[in-house]
Amino acid sequence: MKFSALFFFTLLAYLLGLSESAAQAPRNSLTGTVVTVDGEVLPFVNVALKEKSTHNLITGTVTDGEGYFLLNAGFTGEAYLEISSIGYLTFQSEVLSLDGTAKRDMGAIKLEEELSSLSEVTVSGLRAQVVFDADKTVVNVEGSPLAEGNTALDVIGRSPGVFVDSDGNINLNGRSGVVVLIDDRQTYMSAEDLANFLRAMPAENIKSIEVINNPSSRFDAEGAAGVINLRLKKNDLNGMHGNLTAGSRYNGIYAPNLGGSLNLKKGKWTTNSNLNYNEWAQYNDLEILRRFQVTEGVSAFDQVARLKLVRKNLFFNGGADYQINAQHSVGVNLQASRQDGTEDGLSNTAISNPTNSAIQHLRAINDSHSDNSRYFVNLHYVGALDTLGTKLTSDLDFTLMDAGSLSLLTNRYWTDDQFESGNLNRILTGNEMTYTILTSKVDFTKPLKKGRTLELGVKGSWVKSDNDLQIAKSEEEGGFEPDPNSNRFIYHEQVLAGYGNYKTKVGSKLDLQAGLRMEYSDILGNSVTMNRKNAQQYLDFFPSVSLQQKVSDNYQIGYTVNRRITRPNYRLLNPFIFYIDPLTVEQGNPNLTPQYATNLEMNHTIKGMYQVSLGYSRTENAFGQIMVQDDETRRTAIQIQNLDVTTNLNLRLIVPVEFAPWYTTNHTLQVSNNTFQSQLGSEMLDVSQVSLMARTQHNLSLTKGWKVEVVGMYLSKNRFGQMVLNPVAWLDAGVTKSFKDDQWSVSLNGTDLLRSQRFTGNILFDQINTDVAQYNNIQSVRLGIRWKFSQGENFRVSQRSGSAEERNRLD
């Protein structure tokens, strides 16, 4: 792996050496930033300086990834700026008197969306599905046929570099440790809870997905592999408008969905709300073959299981924003979700022994119910302190979550065909967990002269979790007796953070951003039952540096380096033992420590459309799911442990191809080399794997309101610590038909059309020799219908001032 790191640094230095040297900004210059009416930066916008009398072009440029432009005026006389971009009204400045030595900052120039042509665009053209900003990749979800009737987790898995496994775990560029934000706010959930929450959120609520591989110090340091930020739809229109949706999914089980949104903007008030009910259901077919080396030979456990999972989800999101005056606004955002789930499972295991020909059998029946309620409240203030873009924002967030489950595992053992004479036992498990989270943050942004910006901020978060796990067992039909593995675990976490971030222009070709984030963590885990406390206190520094180089109008290079952390979820720190079946348990790990990652990436963006990225990451104390096998008891334990070192070297290509204005495609190819090195028990894990992920997406916008979307995925052989996964590929497709000027629409989409998304793999390490095959019955068809309504001052963009990013938080 040292060769891989050497190769990365050599190539980085080589390409940097080939790039043009930055020139000093000319004295006779015009500068500014182009943004939307909501303050979102607009990269790669045309900026032209024209002579007043003749309207002839004097000079021109395009904005960089931050929406910034610099023009060498080189002209004496009267002229004006003309700024244009597809989908926006052309902006024309007032007449400027230039004397050949002018140094003028035009400030933030706002472009209004060209809404009058929206209906035409939906018929004859397509919005770019993937857009590259300087520090992130934006995936536009709004209007996608495959978003209709699907969930947030479904569409996240279709983003460049993202892979969602069969259990809902999210990986980015071949690495775990991804943080999912909703409008810039952390969710503070375990991987399992997050997956269930995202399945409850309809994809129709999402405007776009931001994939941020290397966040700046402005973001929390949490998330060693990067950040995925979900931008929910905003209310930008005067008057009242909204929609109603209904549909159903079938994959062997019917799962209906029903929802609606209502948005109102009048005067100084802007409100938005949506309420959705959906059911998520599927069968999970699982085959596991475990081999145990005993003294007499090999004993095999051949297990076949089917689980039926059903979750009923209710999701509400709403907010109100009051514009005090042109500079100041306050608001509130509310989220509430409720999930009720059942899990019915039947597992049959045939056990062979080398000493005799008799086959022992184990039948496990699982009957489980779970419920989860989550409530989130945000209070916010946004202030524009001057006309140059100085901003002050503050947020106060409160989250309350209550989750519980009760499961009965009934196990029967018998030999050969002697079912009636077999033994019976039962395991009753109840788990109650509550957590409360309070966060407070203040952010300050100050634009300085010559295109420089200073960002400062502080944040505090306080978390308390109470997890009570009660286990009882019974033999035959007898009463239940408490099990010693019952445990109550209380967790406290306090994180105090502060950051500084500085952006500047280095001549006319380079944009530099450098920042430092400091986080102090105070953690206490208390196993009440075991009378064991585990306290951790640590102060960490997380630097980040980004360099954006404009080689030409059609070619930019970005270089980023940062350090990040992923703290263990509080549930994992609980020293619990949870029975999956009598022979398989999941264990908590109170000794789990945070993982730290150092990330480097170089992005080449060509014509604002094509991207080639080379990234390298080294993670210490990386989280890994480890399987530990006891050959004597023939019991398998699954636990998250710290691996010594993992590395990831990846090359990613994103290539859009437009065959016609109505037919566009986007293709992603990623090649990764992952290595894992760690001492596990008496054996050393030292492995590496080169893997490939390919994704192709085709969007067609046809006449008479027809839209079609097709997505194909391929994953080559891959490795996650001990486990090796075999290649897999699948195909999804969707079609939408709109009626009556897009007021009505009907959608039909299918997932895993070829029924090929079946994951198979094996573990061959130390004493473990296990084969796994799993299919979650993802193959399904969805039918949905949508009705849009509006009343009042329809389709007029509101002229809102204030902070762009903070505004996105509010709506």
Side-chain angles (χ1 to χ4, degrees):
M1 200 55 220
K2 291 182 179 179
F3 171 78
S4 300
L6 179 62
F7 170 77
F8 175 84
F9 287 114
T10 301
L11 184 56
L12 177 65
Y14 175 72
L15 289 175
L16 183 60
L18 286 180
S19 303
E20 295 182 18
S21 300
Q24 293 298 316
R27 291 182 56 84
N28 53 339
S29 61
L30 294 172
T31 62
T33 304
V34 182
V35 299
T36 67
V37 293
D38 289 327
E40 295 182 2
V41 298
L42 286 174
F44 315 121
V45 170
N46 297 313
V47 181
L49 182 66
K50 293 187 175 182
E51 188 176 356
K52 175 190 174 183
S53 58
T54 65
H55 304 290
N56 290 332
L57 177 67
I58 301 170
T59 185
T61 186
V62 295
T63 61
D64 62 13
E66 295 288 339
Y68 179 82
F69 68 86
L70 184 150
L71 271 178
N72 180 0
F75 173 79
T76 300
E78 293 185 329
Y80 62 91
L81 279 178
E82 185 176 278
I83 301 177
S84 60
S85 181
I86 295 176
Y88 293 88
L89 296 174
T90 299
F91 169 86
Q92 184 172 311
S93 74
E94 61 183 10
V95 176
L96 307 173
S97 297
L98 305 178
D99 60 6
T101 61
K103 290 178 62 179
R104 183 173 302 188
D105 185 355
M106 303 296 294
I109 299 174
K110 297 181 179 181
L111 295 191
E112 294 186 21
E113 193 169 358
E114 193 174 11
L115 294 174
S116 60
S117 63
L118 284 180
S119 59
E120 178 184 354
V121 171
T122 58
V123 174
S124 62
L126 288 164
R127 184 182 184 186
Q129 202 265 338
V130 177
V131 178
F132 302 118
D133 283 350
D135 57 349
K136 59 181 175 280
T137 300
V138 181
V139 181
N140 292 312
V141 176
E142 193 172 14
S144 165
L146 281 176
E148 300 282 345
N150 271 317
T151 69
L153 190 63
D154 294 325
V155 296
I156 287 175
R158 300 190 182 106
S159 303
V162 178
F163 168 61
V164 179
D165 68 18
S166 56
D167 295 322
N169 298 311
I170 301 172
N171 291 270
L172 179 58
N173 298 324
R175 297 186 290 136
S176 61
V178 181
V179 166
V180 175
L181 309 181
I182 299 176
D183 284 335
D184 293 330
R185 301 185 184 98
Q186 278 203 49
T187 51
Y188 295 98
M189 296 185 195
S190 68
E192 180 181 357
D193 291 334
L194 178 62
N196 291 332
F197 176 77
L198 294 174
R199 290 187 182 113
M201 180 187 293
E204 292 97 328
N205 288 3
I206 300 174
K207 177 183 178 182
S208 62
I209 300 172
E210 297 174 351
V211 181
I212 310 171
N213 296 317
N214 292 288
S216 71
S217 60
R218 191 175 187 276
F219 289 82
D220 288 353
E222 183 74 19
V227 170
I228 295 176
N229 189 24
L230 304 183
R231 292 288 186 192
L232 302 185
K233 291 181 179 178
K234 304 182 300 179
N235 180 16
D236 288 329
L237 308 177
N238 284 325
M240 182 183 71
H241 63 97
N243 64 70
L244 295 174
T245 61
S248 182
R249 173 187 184 229
Y250 180 74
N251 62 346
I253 308 172
Y254 285 102
N257 65 274
L258 179 67
S261 68
L262 179 64
N263 304 282
L264 178 64
K265 181 170 177 60
K266 185 175 182 180
K268 295 185 176 183
W269 284 97
T270 300
T271 64
N272 63 91
S273 62
N274 57 75
L275 179 65
N276 297 274
Y277 171 83
N278 69 51
E279 294 184 12
W280 177 86
Q282 69 179 29
Y283 291 106
N284 185 353
D285 294 318
L286 183 65
E287 300 175 20
I288 304 176
L289 178 59
R290 288 178 278 194
R291 305 171 184 88
F292 297 85
Q293 185 67 47
V294 295
T295 304
E296 298 82 3
V298 177
S299 174
F301 285 27
D302 191 356
Q303 181 179 6
V304 178
R306 164 166 273 209
L307 305 178
K308 180 183 179 181
L309 300 96
V310 177
R311 288 191 175 88
K312 299 179 180 181
N313 307 302
L314 188 64
F315 181 85
F316 170 81
N317 181 69
D321 183 19
Y322 178 73
Q323 194 79 33
I324 300 172
N325 52 41
Q327 290 77 38
H328 305 279
S329 67
V330 293
V332 61
N333 176 240
L334 304 173
Q335 287 180 8
S337 64
R338 170 76 182 184
Q339 298 151 31
D340 289 286
T342 59
E343 180 177 323
D344 301 317
L346 174 61
S347 168
N348 288 298
T349 304
I351 304 172
S352 63
N353 295 284
T355 55
N356 57 66
S357 59
I359 301 297
Q360 295 177 308
H361 296 273
L362 166 61
R363 173 174 293 176
I365 300 175
N366 183 51
D367 183 8
S368 176
H369 175 266
S370 63
D371 59 83
N372 187 314
S373 299
R374 179 181 182 268
Y375 306 95
F376 169 82
V377 180
N378 164 263
L379 302 175
H380 51 259
Y381 160 79
V382 180
L385 305 185
D386 57 33
T387 59
L388 301 178
T390 303
K391 296 173 290 188
L392 180 68
T393 67
S394 63
D395 289 87
L396 181 65
D397 300 339
F398 177 76
T399 304
L400 173 65
M401 180 170 170
D402 187 352
S405 65
L406 182 65
S407 64
L408 177 62
L409 187 61
T410 303
N411 311 296
R412 178 176 288 275
Y413 306 81
W414 73 94
T415 303
D416 290 335
D417 57 355
Q418 302 173 13
F419 178 81
E420 297 299 331
S421 62
N423 299 321
L424 178 73
N425 67 32
R426 295 176 296 168
I427 302 174
L428 181 65
T429 302
N431 190 15
E432 292 291 334
M433 186 188 76
T434 61
Y435 73 68
T436 56
I437 301 170
L438 177 66
T439 65
S440 178
K441 61 180 293 189
V442 177
D443 296 289
F444 175 75
T445 302
K446 176 65 176 178
L448 305 173
K449 295 180 179 180
K450 300 180 181 179
R452 294 172 294 177
T453 303
L454 177 65
E455 297 176 330
L456 301 171
V458 293
K459 179 180 179 180
S461 65
W462 296 265
V463 178
K464 179 183 177 181
S465 169
D466 191 339
N467 189 353
D468 191 7
L469 178 67
Q470 298 294 326
I471 304 175
K473 294 181 178 179
S474 77
E475 297 294 334
E476 299 301 335
E477 299 295 336
F480 285 93
E481 298 292 335
D483 185 272
N485 291 312
S486 299
N487 184 48
R488 184 183 178 195
F489 182 73
I490 300 176
Y491 175 87
H492 293 268
E493 176 185 284
Q494 174 182 279
V495 178
L496 303 177
Y499 75 88
N501 199 48
Y502 181 72
K503 302 177 184 178
T504 185
K505 302 287 292 185
V506 184
S508 61
K509 299 292 185 180
L510 294 177
D511 294 333
L512 173 66
Q513 180 177 199
L516 178 65
R517 189 178 187 92
M518 177 189 71
E519 294 190 352
Y520 169 76
S521 303
D522 187 352
I523 296 172
L524 176 63
N526 180 15
S527 176
V528 178
T529 306
M530 302 174 66
N531 194 24
R532 179 194 300 174
K533 293 184 178 181
N534 184 8
Q536 300 180 42
Q537 294 179 338
Y538 45 89
L539 177 65
D540 283 316
F541 296 89
F542 302 96
S544 63
V545 178
S546 169
L547 185 67
Q548 299 293 325
Q549 181 179 18
K550 181 181 178 181
V551 180
S552 68
D553 289 346
N554 293 321
Y555 180 31
Q556 292 83 35
I557 307 177
Y559 311 88
T560 57
V561 58
N562 65 18
R563 181 174 185 261
R564 297 186 63 77
I565 186 176
T566 300
R567 298 175 180 87
N569 180 266
Y570 22 84
R571 179 180 178 271
L572 298 177
L573 294 170
N574 182 0
F576 67 87
I577 294 181
F578 186 85
Y579 289 89
I580 299 174
D581 62 43
L583 302 173
T584 310
V585 297
E586 181 186 0
Q587 290 184 345
N589 184 0
N591 299 315
L592 201 60
T593 60
Q595 66 177 17
Y596 293 88
T598 301
N599 307 309
L600 303 94
E601 189 173 68
M602 176 171 53
N603 290 319
H604 299 258
T605 305
I606 303 169
K607 294 185 177 181
M609 300 170 56
Y610 311 101
Q611 189 180 78
V612 181
S613 300
L614 181 65
Y616 173 75
S617 176
R618 175 184 172 89
T619 305
E620 298 179 353
N621 296 329
F623 299 153
Q625 181 173 283
I626 303 302
M627 183 178 289
V628 180
Q629 185 170 284
D630 189 329
D631 286 340
E632 293 300 322
T633 63
R634 294 183 294 186
R635 192 176 78 163
T636 300
I638 300 172
Q639 186 181 62
I640 301 297
Q641 297 183 12
N642 288 115
L643 304 181
D644 294 339
V645 176
T646 66
T647 64
N648 171 274
L649 179 66
N650 66 82
L651 175 67
R652 184 177 68 253
L653 290 83
I654 301 179
V655 181
V657 179
E658 181 178 316
F659 293 103
W662 53 270
Y663 179 20
T664 64
T665 64
N666 195 283
H667 314 277
T668 303
L669 177 66
Q670 179 172 301
V671 181
S672 301
N673 180 35
N674 290 295
T675 69
F676 304 85
Q677 293 178 329
S678 187
Q679 186 72 36
L680 299 178
S682 60
E683 295 294 322
M684 181 69 180
L685 178 69
D686 189 359
V687 293
S688 65
Q689 179 69 55
V690 175
S691 59
L692 181 146
M693 180 171 71
R695 176 179 177 273
T696 180
Q697 176 173 340
H698 300 253
N699 292 83
L700 295 87
S701 183
L702 307 175
T703 58
K704 298 183 179 180
W706 287 95
K707 290 200 295 186
V708 179
E709 183 175 359
V710 180
V711 175
M713 285 282 293
Y714 170 77
L715 297 174
S716 72
K717 184 177 179 180
N718 209 338
R719 175 179 283 275
F720 296 93
Q722 292 174 311
M723 175 167 282
V724 175
L725 292 180
N726 297 321
V728 62
W730 64 92
L731 184 68
D732 302 335
V735 58
T736 299
K737 174 70 170 73
S738 59
F739 307 88
K740 295 186 177 181
D741 297 327
D742 204 32
Q743 186 177 6
W744 289 86
S745 66
V746 177
S747 64
L748 178 67
N749 61 62
T751 305
D752 191 23
L753 298 179
L754 305 179
R755 200 176 177 82
S756 56
Q757 197 174 344
R758 184 172 185 264
F759 293 95
T760 61
N762 68 284
I763 298 176
L764 188 59
F765 175 75
D766 194 8
Q767 299 172 314
I768 305 174
N769 186 352
T770 299
D771 296 332
V772 178
Q774 182 177 11
Y775 184 68
N776 285 348
N777 283 271
I778 295 174
Q779 186 182 53
S780 62
V781 60
R782 294 177 188 263
L783 178 65
I785 185 170
R786 174 188 297 275
W787 172 57
K788 297 180 182 179
F789 60 88
S790 61
Q791 181 179 349
E793 299 176 82
N794 304 325
F795 305 108
R796 181 178 300 173
V797 176
S798 59
Q799 299 293 329
R800 299 194 303 178
S801 61
S803 163
E805 290 185 82
E806 284 69 21
R807 281 294 182 185
N808 286 333
R809 289 197 186 106
L810 312 187
D811 302 324

